[in-house]
Amino acid sequence: MSDIRQTTQDADEAQPTPHPVEGDAPADAAAQTGQDQDPATDPTLDPLEEEGEVAADYLEELLDTADLDGDIDIEVRDGRTYLSVVAEGDDDESLSVLVGEDGEVLEALQELVRLSVLSTTGRRSRLVLDIGGYRLRRSTALQEMALAAVREAQETGERVHLEPLSAYERKIVHDVVAEQGLVSESEGEGAGRHIVVSAVQA
Protein backbone atom coordinates (compact mmCIF):
# COMPACT_ATOMS: atom_id res chain seq x y z
CA MET A 1 0.00 0.00 0.00
CA SER A 2 1.26 3.42 -0.87
CA ASP A 3 1.03 5.91 1.95
CA ILE A 4 1.32 9.69 1.46
CA ARG A 5 1.24 11.93 4.51
CA GLN A 6 1.08 15.67 4.14
CA THR A 7 0.74 18.04 7.07
CA THR A 8 -0.27 21.64 6.24
CA GLN A 9 0.93 24.30 8.69
CA ASP A 10 2.30 27.82 8.47
CA ALA A 11 6.02 27.93 7.87
CA ASP A 12 6.68 29.77 11.12
CA GLU A 13 5.01 26.93 13.05
CA ALA A 14 7.43 24.33 11.76
CA GLN A 15 9.79 23.09 14.44
CA PRO A 16 13.47 22.54 13.52
CA THR A 17 14.92 19.10 14.25
CA PRO A 18 17.46 19.43 17.08
CA HIS A 19 21.01 18.33 16.28
CA PRO A 20 22.79 16.03 18.71
CA VAL A 21 25.10 17.89 21.07
CA GLU A 22 28.29 16.29 22.27
CA GLY A 23 27.74 14.95 25.75
CA ASP A 24 23.99 14.83 25.33
CA ALA A 25 23.45 11.21 26.29
CA PRO A 26 19.78 10.76 25.25
CA ALA A 27 20.37 12.24 21.79
CA ASP A 28 23.58 10.23 21.28
CA ALA A 29 21.83 7.06 22.38
CA ALA A 30 18.96 7.61 19.98
CA ALA A 31 21.37 8.32 17.15
CA GLN A 32 23.36 5.16 17.88
CA THR A 33 20.32 2.91 18.00
CA GLY A 34 18.77 4.53 14.93
CA GLN A 35 15.34 4.49 16.52
CA ASP A 36 12.72 6.95 15.31
CA GLN A 37 11.01 9.22 17.81
CA ASP A 38 7.57 7.96 18.81
CA PRO A 39 5.01 10.57 17.63
CA ALA A 40 3.23 10.25 20.97
CA THR A 41 6.33 11.34 22.88
CA ASP A 42 7.98 13.68 20.38
CA PRO A 43 8.18 17.12 22.04
CA THR A 44 8.81 18.86 18.71
CA LEU A 45 5.35 18.01 17.34
CA ASP A 46 2.41 20.39 17.61
CA PRO A 47 -0.47 18.57 19.39
CA LEU A 48 -2.66 18.66 16.28
CA GLU A 49 0.17 17.45 14.08
CA GLU A 50 0.85 14.72 16.62
CA GLU A 51 -2.73 13.48 16.60
CA GLY A 52 -2.62 13.44 12.80
CA GLU A 53 0.44 11.20 12.83
CA VAL A 54 -1.08 8.86 15.41
CA ALA A 55 -4.34 8.67 13.47
CA ALA A 56 -2.49 8.05 10.20
CA ASP A 57 -0.59 5.14 11.77
CA TYR A 58 -3.89 3.63 12.93
CA LEU A 59 -5.48 4.06 9.49
CA GLU A 60 -2.45 2.59 7.74
CA GLU A 61 -2.71 -0.57 9.83
CA LEU A 62 -6.45 -0.75 9.17
CA LEU A 63 -5.97 -0.46 5.41
CA ASP A 64 -3.28 -3.16 5.48
CA THR A 65 -5.53 -5.47 7.49
CA ALA A 66 -8.41 -4.91 5.06
CA ASP A 67 -6.03 -5.36 2.10
CA LEU A 68 -7.05 -1.98 0.67
CA ASP A 69 -4.81 0.49 -1.13
CA GLY A 70 -5.07 4.15 -0.21
CA ASP A 71 -3.06 7.28 0.35
CA ILE A 72 -3.43 9.21 3.61
CA ASP A 73 -3.26 13.00 3.63
CA ILE A 74 -3.04 15.03 6.84
CA GLU A 75 -4.03 18.68 7.04
CA VAL A 76 -4.16 20.98 10.06
CA ARG A 77 -6.39 24.04 9.73
CA ASP A 78 -8.72 26.16 11.84
CA GLY A 79 -7.66 24.41 15.02
CA ARG A 80 -8.62 20.93 13.82
CA THR A 81 -6.91 17.96 12.18
CA TYR A 82 -8.32 16.62 8.92
CA LEU A 83 -7.40 13.20 7.51
CA SER A 84 -8.33 12.10 4.01
CA VAL A 85 -7.95 8.61 2.58
CA VAL A 86 -7.98 8.53 -1.21
CA ALA A 87 -7.61 5.53 -3.47
CA GLU A 88 -4.56 5.18 -5.64
CA GLY A 89 -5.32 6.34 -9.16
CA ASP A 90 -8.42 8.22 -7.94
CA ASP A 91 -10.46 4.98 -7.92
CA ASP A 92 -12.41 6.02 -4.82
CA GLU A 93 -15.06 3.37 -5.47
CA SER A 94 -12.66 0.76 -4.08
CA LEU A 95 -12.87 2.48 -0.67
CA SER A 96 -16.67 2.60 -0.60
CA VAL A 97 -16.75 -0.30 1.87
CA LEU A 98 -15.16 2.04 4.43
CA VAL A 99 -17.86 4.66 3.87
CA GLY A 100 -20.96 2.51 4.01
CA GLU A 101 -24.55 3.53 3.40
CA ASP A 102 -25.11 7.18 4.29
CA GLY A 103 -21.59 7.34 5.72
CA GLU A 104 -22.41 5.13 8.71
CA VAL A 105 -19.18 3.10 8.48
CA LEU A 106 -17.16 6.29 8.01
CA GLU A 107 -18.66 7.82 11.17
CA ALA A 108 -17.82 4.66 13.13
CA LEU A 109 -14.25 4.66 11.81
CA GLN A 110 -13.86 8.32 12.73
CA GLU A 111 -14.80 7.49 16.32
CA LEU A 112 -12.33 4.59 16.38
CA VAL A 113 -9.57 6.87 15.10
CA ARG A 114 -10.40 9.47 17.75
CA LEU A 115 -10.26 6.77 20.43
CA SER A 116 -6.87 5.68 19.11
CA VAL A 117 -5.61 9.24 19.50
CA LEU A 118 -7.06 9.48 23.01
CA SER A 119 -5.45 6.18 24.00
CA THR A 120 -2.04 7.21 22.68
CA THR A 121 -1.87 10.89 23.63
CA GLY A 122 -4.32 11.14 26.54
CA ARG A 123 -6.10 14.00 24.74
CA ARG A 124 -9.57 14.01 23.21
CA SER A 125 -9.58 14.66 19.48
CA ARG A 126 -11.96 16.55 17.23
CA LEU A 127 -10.30 15.29 14.05
CA VAL A 128 -12.38 14.82 10.92
CA LEU A 129 -11.92 11.74 8.76
CA ASP A 130 -12.89 11.66 5.09
CA ILE A 131 -12.68 8.64 2.79
CA GLY A 132 -12.93 8.74 -0.97
CA GLY A 133 -14.14 12.36 -0.96
CA TYR A 134 -17.44 11.41 0.68
CA ARG A 135 -17.56 14.36 3.07
CA LEU A 136 -16.97 16.86 0.27
CA ARG A 137 -19.90 15.44 -1.69
CA ARG A 138 -22.00 15.27 1.46
CA SER A 139 -21.17 18.89 2.34
CA THR A 140 -22.52 20.03 -1.03
CA ALA A 141 -25.73 18.05 -0.48
CA LEU A 142 -26.13 19.50 3.03
CA GLN A 143 -25.77 23.05 1.75
CA GLU A 144 -28.48 22.41 -0.84
CA MET A 145 -30.68 20.87 1.87
CA ALA A 146 -30.20 23.91 4.09
CA LEU A 147 -31.03 26.35 1.29
CA ALA A 148 -34.19 24.40 0.45
CA ALA A 149 -35.25 24.54 4.10
CA VAL A 150 -34.59 28.29 4.16
CA ARG A 151 -36.82 28.82 1.12
CA GLU A 152 -39.59 26.69 2.62
CA ALA A 153 -39.45 28.53 5.95
CA GLN A 154 -39.59 31.90 4.18
CA GLU A 155 -42.48 30.89 1.92
CA THR A 156 -44.65 29.15 4.52
CA GLY A 157 -43.61 30.85 7.75
CA GLU A 158 -43.55 27.39 9.32
CA ARG A 159 -40.73 25.66 11.17
CA VAL A 160 -38.94 23.18 8.91
CA HIS A 161 -37.60 19.95 10.44
CA LEU A 162 -34.62 18.32 8.74
CA GLU A 163 -33.45 14.71 8.90
CA PRO A 164 -31.20 13.63 11.81
CA LEU A 165 -27.59 14.65 11.27
CA SER A 166 -24.24 14.21 13.00
CA ALA A 167 -22.79 17.12 14.98
CA TYR A 168 -20.33 17.85 12.17
CA GLU A 169 -23.12 17.90 9.57
CA ARG A 170 -25.38 20.03 11.76
CA LYS A 171 -22.69 22.69 11.97
CA ILE A 172 -22.56 22.89 8.17
CA VAL A 173 -26.34 23.44 8.04
CA HIS A 174 -26.32 25.96 10.91
CA ASP A 175 -23.67 28.02 9.09
CA VAL A 176 -25.65 28.10 5.84
CA VAL A 177 -28.90 29.07 7.59
CA ALA A 178 -27.16 31.82 9.54
CA GLU A 179 -25.67 33.22 6.32
CA GLN A 180 -29.22 33.46 4.94
CA GLY A 181 -30.38 35.42 7.98
CA LEU A 182 -32.71 32.75 9.38
CA VAL A 183 -32.72 30.86 12.66
CA SER A 184 -31.77 27.20 13.16
CA GLU A 185 -31.65 25.14 16.31
CA SER A 186 -30.97 21.53 17.19
CA GLU A 187 -33.70 19.41 18.73
CA GLY A 188 -33.98 15.80 19.86
CA GLU A 189 -31.53 13.44 21.50
CA GLY A 190 -29.01 10.88 20.34
CA ALA A 191 -29.51 9.47 16.85
CA GLY A 192 -32.68 11.53 16.48
CA ARG A 193 -31.03 14.91 16.98
CA HIS A 194 -31.91 17.16 14.06
CA ILE A 195 -32.14 20.79 12.98
CA VAL A 196 -35.26 22.95 12.84
CA VAL A 197 -35.15 26.00 10.56
CA SER A 198 -37.47 28.95 11.08
CA ALA A 199 -37.83 32.51 9.80
CA VAL A 200 -36.73 35.31 12.11
CA GLN A 201 -39.61 36.33 14.35
CA ALA A 202 -40.55 40.01 14.35
Side-chain angles (χ1 to χ4, degrees):
M1 180 190 70
S2 175
D3 180 27
I4 299 176
R5 298 182 184 176
Q6 177 180 355
T7 302
T8 303
Q9 285 186 314
D10 294 336
D12 58 2
E13 292 180 359
Q15 298 287 339
T17 303
H19 296 287
V21 178
E22 185 175 357
D24 187 344
D28 290 344
Q32 291 173 3
T33 59
Q35 296 178 345
D36 293 331
Q37 183 72 49
D38 185 342
T41 60
D42 188 348
T44 67
L45 283 180
D46 174 88
L48 292 178
E49 181 181 350
E50 177 185 355
E51 75 174 39
E53 292 294 335
V54 171
D57 287 340
Y58 179 87
L59 285 170
E60 184 177 358
E61 292 182 8
L62 184 147
L63 290 172
D64 285 341
T65 300
D67 194 25
L68 294 172
D69 293 329
D71 297 331
I72 304 172
D73 293 337
I74 308 171
E75 184 178 2
V76 176
R77 68 176 188 273
D78 301 328
R80 181 175 290 195
T81 303
Y82 292 81
L83 276 82
S84 299
V85 180
V86 295
E88 296 179 351
D90 296 326
D91 181 21
D92 290 329
E93 186 64 27
S94 63
L95 296 175
S96 60
V97 65
L98 299 180
V99 176
E101 185 177 358
D102 297 327
E104 292 179 353
V105 176
L106 173 58
E107 291 297 334
L109 284 177
Q110 178 173 272
E111 290 306 310
L112 288 175
V113 172
R114 288 178 173 180
L115 286 173
S116 175
V117 172
L118 174 62
S119 174
T120 303
T121 68
R123 296 188 303 270
R124 293 189 178 278
S125 171
R126 296 170 56 245
L127 70 81
V128 175
L129 172 65
D130 190 13
I131 296 178
Y134 172 82
R135 289 203 188 279
L136 179 59
R137 296 190 299 272
R138 178 62 173 163
S139 177
T140 299
L142 288 169
Q143 292 176 43
E144 294 175 351
M145 178 194 302
L147 291 174
V150 165
R151 288 193 296 269
E152 182 177 347
Q154 289 173 329
E155 293 171 358
T156 66
E158 301 291 334
R159 302 170 80 237
V160 180
H161 292 256
L162 301 182
E163 66 186 52
L165 303 170
S166 68
Y168 177 77
E169 293 179 333
R170 290 197 303 272
K171 183 182 185 307
I172 294 174
V173 173
H174 282 310
D175 289 345
V176 172
V177 174
E179 289 176 358
Q180 299 300 313
L182 271 69
V183 175
S184 62
E185 54 187 344
S186 296
E187 294 185 356
E189 300 294 336
R193 195 155 178 81
H194 63 283
I195 287 178
V196 179
V197 179
S198 59
V200 178
Q201 298 296 320

